Amino acid sequence: MGGDHAPGQIVAGAIRASEELDAEILLVGDRQQIQDALQHHAHTPNLEIVEADGAIAMHEGVTELRRKPQASINVAMDLVKQNRADAVVSAGHSGAAMASATLRLGRIRGIDRPAIGAVFPTLLAGKSVIILDVGANVDCRPKYLEQFALMGTIYSQYVMGVEEPKVGLLNIGEESSKGNDLALRTYEILEANKQIPFIGNAEGRDVLSGRFDVIVCDGFVGNVLLKFAEAVGEILLQIIREELPQGWRGQVGSAILKPNLKKLKQRVDHAEHGGALLFGVEGVCIISHGSSQAPSIFNAIRLAKEAIDNQVIERIRANNAANQEITSVSDATANSQSGS
Amino acid sequence: MGGDHAPGQIVAGAIRASEELDAEILLVGDRQQIQDALQHHAHTPNLEIVEADGAIAMHEGVTELRRKPQASINVAMDLVKQNRADAVVSAGHSGAAMASATLRLGRIRGIDRPAIGAVFPTLLAGKSVIILDVGANVDCRPKYLEQFALMGTIYSQYVMGVEEPKVGLLNIGEESSKGNDLALRTYEILEANKQIPFIGNAEGRDVLSGRFDVIVCDGFVGNVLLKFAEAVGEILLQIIREELPQGWRGQVGSAILKPNLKKLKQRVDHAEHGGALLFGVEGVCIISHGSSQAPSIFNAIRLAKEAIDNQVIERIRANNAANQEITSVSDATANSQSGS
């Protein structure tokens, strides 16, 4: 029910995903509206409708989640909680999706704050970088960023297929002495954690360079960067159109360029990635853009499927359980030593 | 003496500025090296060399400024201090330039922290936006951002010629309830200050939209954004080259596009702007990119001249003096009231 083009475009994207991705889709929301949307399609594969009562509107606060236990986002999260679904994709109120996921699914043990990870294309063809957090936590502590780095590393390895991911800390200079208070303290922690393949600071110019596979930052700077990057794609296309040659030369130039503009758009348009992942909760959640059309929803579902197929949640959970054991053992050692 | 291409490119840019801008240029540094660079030019207009002893290298700390009182950046600042020059342009160690300006020229009364302001192009042709701070202060208090907003407003009005500048606070959402601790507290202060034409939060996507004339933020997020934006220009051009049609269609397409690529580069390339301004010190200082070539240096000198001709320093000083008087009066009133 969420997003500027719901339920029509959401349903259209879901149908395509159900046909092309071998995914079973549950459409959660108002039965009548969803059925109306389904009627526009000749082929409607096995899509199941799960009835919900209302939705969280974009202007509403997340406190509405408690007042509307049967709102579509809550019902969708419950399906994951009850093992009736493996993932939730939402193009609605992103704050509500995060809060509902945290409340209904709970955090993975050892994770203090869930984070949103967004995948950016890089200058190196075929290589992407995941940046987290891009908006869930505006004020962070160093240990949150440490957890983001661990989750990002797992995602890079098992979903993006990077054998030896390189982790960077978003900062204003290369040297360890650079940065604000958060960055300075986080640098030390990342460097000391042997589980994190930390290679140093990533400046703004390094984000899209392909030098890093995972970049961690607080959700404030990450969100500013994400929205700036999204807008740049649009701006780029507009500038190219404006600067295209005019007159007869323009006619020829445009005819030749047109097919390439589409390819160009695919490379720079962030919407092509479908959505961002919510890391650190007990289930796969994809947060799509409110402006998502069918292709974005299709890509979001593909993203969800990749996370499921590669057992991202299980791996984060296992990793943290192992960590906790190490911590417990060293705590015990420390205690027994201090007691002796 | 500063920057990757000093002194050759610096001298070349200075000669052009001296010819085209009706500016008198003092070249500060090693006399022999500067003279050698001057010999490559047929016309060397009236450029004066001011001897300095050494320079701050890029890898050195700003503490070197005290150990090298005659380093080129210190000598240049002293020229402004002694009214022998109106402005300093440096492509060297930017931290050293900021520190030297603060130590040698001093802060304008009422300004707690100098800030670096960078001018970005926007989607609206001919319209720019100034963003500050982009790197001088990584950890900020709300009152610093308030001062940045006041200085940016003056610059927008008197140098960029915007009659009614619109000021925004860089944030992660439009609503006043959005943001990290700094943004939430700054929002209230900006809204309450009647001297600041504050119109609300600017998200990452709004930066280049042309909706705002001045955007304030802390130097950490500003610096990440600046360096990201600078890199995007380069990336854009590379992607266009890669996606240009191949074969005979490519030949035709490229021939038609080539003159436009140059125009495009001018619109997106941040280097075209020459440099950033250091606001809040008692003199005009332009901080240029270390990679600056002659055209950037020329543009940086033009930027300096615009700031001088439009009396930016005097206006900031006058504005703050007026403010202090208001504050003193209200303090006095408050004191007499509390005393009664």
Side-chain angles (χ1 to χ4, degrees), chain A:
Chain A
M1 304 307 292
D4 308 339
H5 308 289
Q9 291 292 316
I10 314 288
V11 166
I15 290 175
R16 193 182 143 202
S18 140
E19 286 170 344
E20 296 181 26
L21 297 179
D22 187 27
E24 290 174 46
I25 314 277
L26 306 170
L27 297 165
V28 183
D30 182 86
R31 184 175 299 274
Q32 193 55 53
Q33 284 189 53
I34 296 173
Q35 272 169 347
D36 289 350
L38 284 169
Q39 276 177 357
H40 290 92
H41 299 270
H43 295 277
T44 50
N46 274 339
L47 293 169
E48 193 184 324
I49 299 176
V50 178
E51 184 86 35
D53 184 11
I56 309 298
M58 293 305 276
H59 66 270
E60 289 181 319
V62 292
T63 48
E64 291 298 299
L65 284 171
R66 290 185 191 274
R67 281 200 44 237
K68 297 181 184 173
Q70 292 304 310
S72 55
I73 190 70
N74 279 333
V75 172
M77 292 296 168
D78 286 344
L79 290 173
V80 172
K81 179 89 182 169
Q82 297 152 5
N83 287 319
R84 290 177 58 203
D86 293 307
V88 172
V89 171
S90 169
H93 194 307
S94 60
M98 280 187 281
S100 180
T102 309
L103 291 170
R104 302 259 161 169
L105 305 179
R107 285 177 282 116
I108 293 176
R109 212 183 146 192
I111 301 295
D112 287 292
R113 297 290 160 94
I116 302 176
V119 176
F120 284 60
T122 77
L123 253 183
L124 307 181
K127 188 171 173 68
S128 300
V129 56
I130 182 157
I131 304 187
L132 62 177
D133 175 26
V134 297
N137 310 279
V138 290
D139 290 298
C140 283
R141 294 184 187 185
K143 72 169 174 177
Y144 303 165
L145 269 67
E146 183 186 21
Q147 294 162 9
F148 302 167
L150 281 166
M151 294 191 288
T153 302
I154 289 170
Y155 188 82
S156 180
Q157 276 185 312
Y158 296 104
V159 180
M160 298 162 83
V162 180
E163 265 186 51
E164 297 182 2
K166 296 186 182 72
V167 175
L169 170 65
L170 192 62
N171 206 335
I172 62 163
E174 287 182 10
E175 308 85 348
S176 62
S177 60
K178 288 288 176 76
N180 57 11
D181 184 54
L182 175 66
L184 291 171
R185 287 160 60 206
T186 304
Y187 191 101
E188 284 181 19
I189 291 183
L190 294 181
E191 212 181 20
N193 189 326
K194 296 294 165 229
Q195 278 195 298
I196 298 171
F198 178 57
I199 64 161
N201 289 330
E203 295 184 75
R205 69 169 66 94
D206 301 318
V207 171
L208 306 182
S209 70
R211 278 184 56 211
F212 294 88
D213 302 289
V214 180
I215 294 177
V216 295
C217 56
D218 71 58
F220 188 88
V221 56
N223 186 271
V224 167
L225 201 61
L226 173 72
K227 288 179 179 162
F228 184 83
E230 283 177 350
V232 160
E234 251 326 294
I235 289 171
L236 155 68
L237 294 170
Q238 182 170 332
I239 291 179
I240 291 177
R241 277 184 219 112
E242 286 179 17
E243 299 295 343
L244 274 182
Q246 304 295 320
W248 71 269
R249 287 164 65 90
Q251 298 271 325
V252 178
S254 301
I256 290 170
L257 267 184
K258 230 169 193 170
N260 298 82
L261 268 185
K262 205 181 158 187
K263 263 168 72 188
L264 194 60
K265 189 168 155 58
Q266 285 177 349
R267 270 190 66 171
V268 299
D269 194 350
H270 193 82
E272 293 289 328
H273 290 265
L277 274 111
L278 183 62
F279 283 91
V281 291
E282 284 282 1
V284 172
C285 297
I286 308 293
I287 309 218
S288 290
H289 212 283
S291 64
S292 292
Q293 306 261 10
S296 290
I297 297 298
F298 170 77
N299 286 324
I301 296 171
R302 188 174 56 186
L303 205 61
K305 191 162 188 302
E306 285 172 1
I308 298 160
D309 291 348
N310 295 288
Q311 302 179 288
V312 171
I313 306 296
E314 291 79 0
R315 291 184 199 276
I316 293 174
R317 204 188 283 140
N319 188 285
N320 278 313
N323 267 349
Q324 302 240 300
E325 235 164 78
I326 295 169
T327 315
S328 309
V329 169
S330 59
D331 280 356
T333 318
N335 285 339
S336 69
Q337 282 179 340
S338 67
S340 69

Side-chain angles (χ1 to χ4, degrees), chain B residues 64 76 80 83 85 170 180 231 234 269 273 285 312 321 333 336-337:
Chain B
E64 291 298 298
V80 173
N83 285 320
L170 192 61
N180 56 11
E234 251 326 294
D269 194 351
H273 289 267
C285 298
V312 170
T333 317
S336 69
Q337 282 178 340

